[in-house]
Amino acid sequence: MNRKYRKTVIAGNWKMNKTPSETKEFMAELKSIMPKGRWCDVALCVPAVCIPTAVRTMRETRVGIGGENCNANPSGAYTGEIAANMLTDAGCKYVIIGHSERRAMGETDADVNAKIKAAMAAELIPIVCVGESLEQREANVTNDWITLQIKMALNGIPEEKIRKIIVAYEPIWAIGTGRTATPEQAEEVCEHIRTVIRKLFGAKIARAVSILYGGSMNEKNAFELLAQPDIDGGLIGGASLVPEKFVKIIEAANQPTI
């Protein structure tokens, strides 16, 4: 982490877990044990039906609520979809875009790009996911694949808006598998992501972009992962569903930096 230039962010991705009632219970418990330090930003991206409860319960805290996806269109005949301005109006601050599980459902790089633009037009902070499969890593094309994803995702976005985007590196082979990239592997790719952004938009913007690591980050490995210079936080899956575990990761993010 480098707090001199950019924010440290710990974001939870609940996926399809918890009801509104369970959300209320979770938030109440989380509020009671949240650390007092203010070094990192905290976000919880929850199922759509849980957003109103989460926003209402956490209104007087520093925890921002987010959606797990949005549609690129502002309105229309898209049954079951949620527009970015709907998330904003519901009280969201963040939205996850391009998660590998959404990409596996058919979401393309062009879709990701359009959703980022829609999210930013609605004044949401996009958490943009990139990552390689096990086959791609074994074929030594990780950097090439990540470069393509970054270039496609950020295509056509004005330079002044890039610094507001959060990038989350989530190796697909480590999501929900219990396998985690080593701190060195994770740092290598996050450093590469920053290099790509620097080549596209310049050093000043690249220094300002927060890059998170996802892929089975938990309360046991968070401290070492977050000690890496280009890892500015985490996008947390399973561990974000348990208040005690999530708080330990936040505490790991509040470690001293040089």
Side-chain angles (χ1 to χ4, degrees):
M1 297 178 291
N2 188 328
R3 295 193 185 92
K4 180 179 179 181
Y5 294 111
R6 50 192 175 264
K7 292 183 177 181
T8 303
V9 182
I10 299 298
N13 175 16
W14 279 10
K15 306 188 181 185
M16 196 174 72
N17 290 291
K18 295 196 182 295
T19 64
S21 297
E22 291 169 335
T23 298
K24 185 177 181 180
E25 293 175 4
F26 175 97
M27 297 300 179
E29 184 175 351
L30 180 65
K31 284 168 64 174
S32 70
I33 61 174
M34 275 286 288
K36 303 301 181 183
R38 303 185 66 85
W39 286 347
C40 78
D41 288 356
V42 179
L44 280 168
C45 298
V46 304
V49 296
C50 299
I51 289 171
T53 300
V55 169
R56 185 169 56 252
T57 309
M58 304 304 282
R59 183 165 285 131
E60 296 179 358
T61 74
R62 59 190 176 88
V63 177
I65 303 303
E68 297 179 7
N69 183 40
C70 71
N71 192 279
N73 298 282
S75 61
Y78 304 100
T79 301
E81 291 291 296
I82 299 175
N85 61 353
M86 294 177 181
L87 294 176
T88 303
D89 195 66
C92 285
K93 182 179 179 180
Y94 302 89
V95 62
I96 298 172
I97 296 175
H99 193 280
S100 62
E101 291 162 1
R102 299 296 309 180
R103 293 178 189 259
M105 298 176 194
E107 188 164 286
T108 67
D109 287 318
D111 294 330
V112 170
N113 177 251
K115 289 182 178 187
I116 293 172
K117 292 174 180 176
M120 301 199 83
E123 300 186 347
L124 292 168
I125 298 172
I127 301 174
V128 183
C129 300
V130 298
E132 83 284 10
S133 67
L134 181 59
E135 292 76 14
Q136 289 164 334
R137 172 161 284 274
E138 292 178 341
N140 295 317
V141 297
T142 294
N143 285 354
D144 292 338
W145 182 253
I146 298 295
T147 298
L148 177 62
Q149 287 186 312
I150 292 292
K151 287 183 175 180
M152 291 287 286
L154 303 183
N155 181 46
I157 297 176
E159 288 189 7
E160 64 271 16
K161 291 189 175 183
I162 296 298
R163 66 179 65 236
K164 299 177 182 178
I165 293 173
I166 297 171
V167 178
Y169 167 54
E170 291 203 316
I172 298 171
W173 48 271
I175 298 174
T177 64
R179 297 180 61 178
T180 309
T182 65
E184 293 75 21
Q185 288 174 321
E187 167 62 20
E188 181 181 8
V189 179
C190 290
E191 181 182 17
H192 176 72
I193 291 170
R194 202 174 307 282
T195 297
V196 173
I197 295 173
R198 182 170 63 247
K199 289 179 179 178
L200 292 172
F201 302 103
K204 188 174 182 180
I205 290 175
R207 282 197 302 266
V209 173
S210 296
I211 301 174
L212 315 185
Y213 173 74
S216 299
M217 180 186 282
N218 56 49
E219 73 283 5
K220 296 178 181 178
N221 58 31
F223 190 95
E224 192 173 4
L225 285 163
L226 294 169
Q228 304 304 309
D230 288 288
I231 298 178
D232 305 306
L235 182 57
I236 316 301
S240 71
L241 296 169
V242 182
E244 295 86 354
K245 293 182 178 181
F246 193 55
V247 163
K248 286 182 180 178
I249 297 171
I250 295 169
E251 290 171 343
N254 286 345
Q255 64 184 273
T257 57
I258 297 174

